[in-house]
Amino acid sequence: MTEPAGDNPSDPVPLLDLSIQFQSIREEVLAAILRVVESQHFILGPEVEALEREMAVETQSAHAVGVSSGTDALLVAMMALDIGPGDEVVTTPFSFFATAGCVARLGARPVFVDIDPVGFNMNPAGLEAAITPRTRAIIPVHLYGQTAEMTAIGAIAEGHGLPIIEDAAQAIGAEYHGRRAGSLGAMAALSFFPSKNLGAFGDGGMVTTSDAALADRLRILRNHGFRPKYHSAVVGGNFRLDAIQAAVLRAKLPHLAAWTAARQRNATLYRQLMAEAKLDEQSVRLPREVDGCRHVYHQFVIRVDAQRRDALREHLAQQGIGTEVYYPQPLHLQECFAHLGYRRGDFPHSERTAAESIALPVYPELTPDQQARVVTAIAEFFRAGR
Ligand SMILES: *Cc1c(COP(=O)(O)O)cnc(C)c1O
């Protein structure tokens, strides 16, 4: 008998290890890939259509449209709403770049609303003031696997007749008062980037919607606006999903519920271990589960004093423990958005969280022993007064 991976005290604890998961479903995934190779049907087609049906069920949406990435899902969703120059789209500055990048790529203007530091998501209290006559859509992000405050955001959106596009790239399987991420707005963007909770073997994404007309438009736009083939009434692009990616995702999807449960268990164990190690709020602030939200722990993000954050990461790295900062630079301070005129201090919660947060390993295959090593290393750091 060999020891389980990672339980030797000198083994590294990576932030993410995709190979353990692959080994556990190797035969199913290889059979799925072989099926596509034998069919020689590589783009869209029956595998993509089957995945679309399965993901529509998974997200409690009527329609799902497979696309080339989570980024392209956001882009094509906004294209479906005809968003372009002169338009504004309200979103959060504390997200992955693509959320605002896609707005800018369409010639529209990203307008930011600060986060609520408890849930790390768009604070509905700031939303009303960000809406102008030029606003065309609102993009709340379900960061780290927990949904934004959709009741309050939805009420404001509805009051202004504005569509919501959920950025659900990190939140497949997350729920808000029993409703799935992906079904909480007019459209939602999902990502199958390999490190996401449901990851492909390359890039992939999906737009979900319960509006049949939008679904139809998305299908046209993802393939150069063709309808029929080689006749374009609208300008689309190549945002198609590969059949191999769809087949891999279909092999993985039946395991997602168990992987999500494992992430949630890991989060619970971290809380327990941190309490046992007497790590109090002064040292480490743990992520909170907002009332009514089912968190799927794409990331388990703690907050520590900004002065000591990088030293703690360094200490963990020396012990072979992988961490990451999602994300170190809020979007309103990105150089490419300088022309928007935002300044440091405009969104204090986003800026502060960017300086204080650390993502710890939380992937499903992480062992209790590895988690204990992570917490012991953190406790050592604070005990040494570093
Ligand atoms: C990953 C991610 C995206 C982009 O997805 P890709 O598939 O990498 O293009 C967009 N928004 C958020 C919040 C993400 O985490």
Side-chain angles (χ1 to χ4, degrees):
M1 277 293 287
T2 50
E3 273 190 83
D7 280 356
N8 186 321
S10 59
D11 284 347
V13 185
L15 180 65
L16 177 64
D17 185 339
L18 291 170
S19 59
I20 310 170
Q21 186 168 94
F22 171 59
Q23 291 307 330
S24 75
I25 54 168
R26 195 170 186 279
E27 299 313 315
E28 296 148 68
V29 171
L30 293 182
I33 292 172
L34 189 59
R35 196 168 69 225
V36 175
V37 172
E38 295 285 4
S39 79
Q40 290 291 298
H41 193 144
F42 292 115
I43 293 170
L44 298 177
E47 290 289 343
V48 170
E49 287 163 22
L51 178 69
E52 289 175 342
R53 287 191 295 272
E54 291 161 10
M55 286 305 297
V57 172
E58 177 68 21
T59 58
Q60 300 175 343
S61 306
H63 311 278
V65 180
V67 294
S68 31
S69 68
T71 301
D72 287 341
L74 286 165
L75 191 69
V76 79
M78 282 186 269
M79 289 170 72
L81 296 174
D82 263 325
I83 289 171
D87 295 336
E88 295 177 354
V89 175
V90 180
T91 189
T92 147
F94 194 61
S95 183
F96 179 63
F97 178 77
T99 312
C102 290
V103 177
R105 282 172 63 190
L106 290 173
R109 183 184 177 87
V111 173
F112 297 113
V113 171
D114 206 1
I115 56 165
D116 157 0
V118 173
F120 302 115
N121 287 320
M122 176 187 282
N123 187 347
L127 181 54
E128 190 79 55
I131 294 171
T132 76
R134 291 177 298 281
T135 307
R136 295 289 318 281
I138 300 168
I139 308 183
V141 179
H142 305 321
L143 203 67
Y144 305 147
Q146 179 162 251
T147 54
E149 294 278 8
M150 296 305 289
T151 303
I153 292 169
I156 295 166
E158 208 176 307
H160 292 269
L162 291 169
I164 290 175
I165 302 170
E166 299 168 75
D167 184 337
Q170 302 188 2
I172 295 175
E175 288 177 10
Y176 182 76
H177 294 282
R179 288 169 58 205
R180 284 280 162 114
S183 70
L184 304 169
M187 287 179 278
L190 312 181
S191 167
F192 303 124
F193 185 79
S195 68
K196 299 285 160 79
N197 286 23
L198 180 63
F201 284 6
D203 279 309
M206 197 160 268
V207 185
T208 57
T209 181
S210 288
D211 181 322
L214 279 175
D216 192 55
R217 212 170 140 73
L218 290 163
R219 288 181 199 287
I220 294 171
L221 286 166
R222 77 171 161 185
N223 194 20
H224 304 292
F226 291 163
R227 177 155 306 159
K229 204 170 182 184
Y230 308 130
H231 294 79
S232 300
V234 292
V235 178
N238 174 358
F239 306 122
R240 301 177 303 236
L241 181 62
D242 285 345
I244 283 186
Q245 300 307 341
V248 168
L249 291 162
R250 291 185 66 207
K252 292 179 91 174
L253 184 56
H255 301 278
L256 180 63
W259 292 333
T260 299
R263 288 176 180 275
Q264 293 167 330
R265 266 200 311 278
N266 294 346
T268 302
L269 183 57
Y270 268 136
R271 294 180 197 285
Q272 205 178 308
L273 292 170
M274 301 260 185
E276 281 166 20
K278 306 256 186 297
L279 279 162
D280 60 10
E281 287 266 305
Q282 249 72 58
S283 316
V284 176
R285 271 163 294 151
L286 298 176
R288 296 251 203 94
E289 294 193 2
V290 176
D291 271 355
C293 293
R294 175 182 192 250
H295 201 318
V296 295
Y297 289 99
H298 173 58
Q299 301 295 347
F300 186 89
V301 174
I302 62 169
R303 295 176 65 168
V304 301
D305 190 294
Q307 306 300 318
R308 296 203 277 181
R309 195 263 307 270
D310 294 344
L312 173 57
R313 288 195 67 205
E314 183 53 38
H315 171 78
L316 295 175
Q318 277 165 11
Q319 318 233 349
I321 297 165
T323 64
E324 189 51 271
V325 175
Y326 301 110
Y327 297 91
Q329 175 94 314
L331 301 180
H332 67 287
L333 299 177
Q334 298 290 339
E335 192 179 337
C336 66
F337 292 143
H339 65 281
L340 297 176
Y342 290 112
R343 273 188 303 255
R344 190 167 292 280
D346 283 348
F347 303 108
H349 291 305
S350 297
E351 292 167 24
R352 190 162 167 205
T353 309
E356 294 183 342
S357 57
I358 305 182
L360 302 179
V362 73
Y363 60 92
E365 298 78 14
L366 194 69
T367 66
D369 199 72
Q370 287 177 303
Q371 289 192 265
R373 282 163 51 202
V374 172
V375 174
T376 302
I378 294 172
E380 261 170 28
F381 175 85
F382 285 105
R383 219 173 299 121
R386 273 174 286 195

